[in-house]
Amino acid sequence: MQLKNTAERYGAIAKLFHWTIVALIIAQYILIERAHDLPQSLQKLKLYTYHKSVGITILALAVLRLLWRWANTVPPLPPTLRPVESVLARVTHVALYALIFAMPLSGWIMSNAENFPVSYFGWFTLPSLVAPDRSLGELMEETHELLFIALLSVALLHMAAALKHHFWLKDDVLRRMLPFTRPRTQPPAKENRQ
């Protein structure tokens, strides 16, 4: 199993960052939906605390993922893409990164503005980014919700493109990010000359 990216596919570390962040974003949605359905209680408070902690985990992983991306080769887009598709793919990736950073930061600011601390799984409390401010808290709550809708929309576009590549174009764009897969288009075997 290769750890680093190559020109043909992503390595194990890039895949681990990608799929861990995807799983944690899904977990975030489940946590907040469960919390919304509960009456005011210790259980509701606990779910909000987990939601904040997972959000901070996503933020930390996003920083590490971006550093890893800058330090490694990134497999190029297929040459068969039209110029508009290449631009859309790049814009989508930039938007995903921006939203993955903006979501936890907006939640952190919202909590601080509403005078709630952001504790990381009860191990330590993160510093406040802003002073308590009710109107800022309300604005950040709306912003956080809008950012989620934007993240969901861009992620669905990203998934649709990956599925189009896999099922319609039948290239390796999706397979190069899937764990435990090999490219469909294997390079020709080298002849054994002795």
Side-chain angles (χ1 to χ4, degrees), residues 16-38:
L16 182 64
F17 281 134
H18 181 274
W19 293 109
T20 302
I21 290 172
V22 168
L24 290 176
I25 290 171
I26 293 168
Q28 284 292 75
Y29 178 76
I30 293 168
L31 283 169
I32 207 65
E33 284 302 307
R34 287 190 59 205
H36 278 292
D37 292 342
L38 292 174

Side-chain angles (χ1 to χ4, degrees), residues 109-110 112-115 130-140:
I109 293 169
M110 174 181 63
N112 293 161
E114 293 175 347
N115 205 20
V130 297
D133 180 334
R134 180 179 285 275
S135 60
L136 177 61
E138 290 171 0
L139 174 65
M140 293 312 296

Side-chain angles (χ1 to χ4, degrees), residues 67-175:
L67 292 172
W68 184 257
R69 183 180 174 97
W70 283 333
N72 282 272
T73 302
V74 176
L77 295 172
T80 54
L81 290 184
R82 293 177 293 170
V84 69
E85 291 172 322
S86 294
V87 169
L88 185 58
R90 286 187 174 84
V91 167
T92 301
H93 277 102
V94 169
L96 282 171
Y97 275 104
L99 290 163
I100 288 169
F101 278 95
M103 283 292 303
L105 287 172
S106 67
W108 188 351
I109 293 169
M110 174 181 63
S111 289
N112 293 161
E114 293 175 347
N115 205 20
F116 291 113
V118 177
S119 167
Y120 190 73
F121 292 109
W123 299 335
F124 56 89
T125 301
L126 278 71
S128 291
L129 298 177
V130 297
D133 180 334
R134 180 179 285 275
S135 60
L136 177 61
E138 290 171 0
L139 174 65
M140 293 312 296
E141 184 175 355
E142 290 176 21
T143 301
H144 196 64
E145 291 172 4
L146 290 173
L147 287 171
F148 177 73
I149 293 167
L151 177 61
L152 181 62
S153 301
V154 176
L156 288 172
L157 177 63
H158 181 67
M159 288 171 27
L163 293 173
K164 175 186 174 185
H165 279 280
H166 190 72
F167 292 109
W168 186 6
L169 302 176
K170 300 199 184 299
D171 60 27
D172 285 334
V173 167
L174 176 60
R175 294 177 65 83

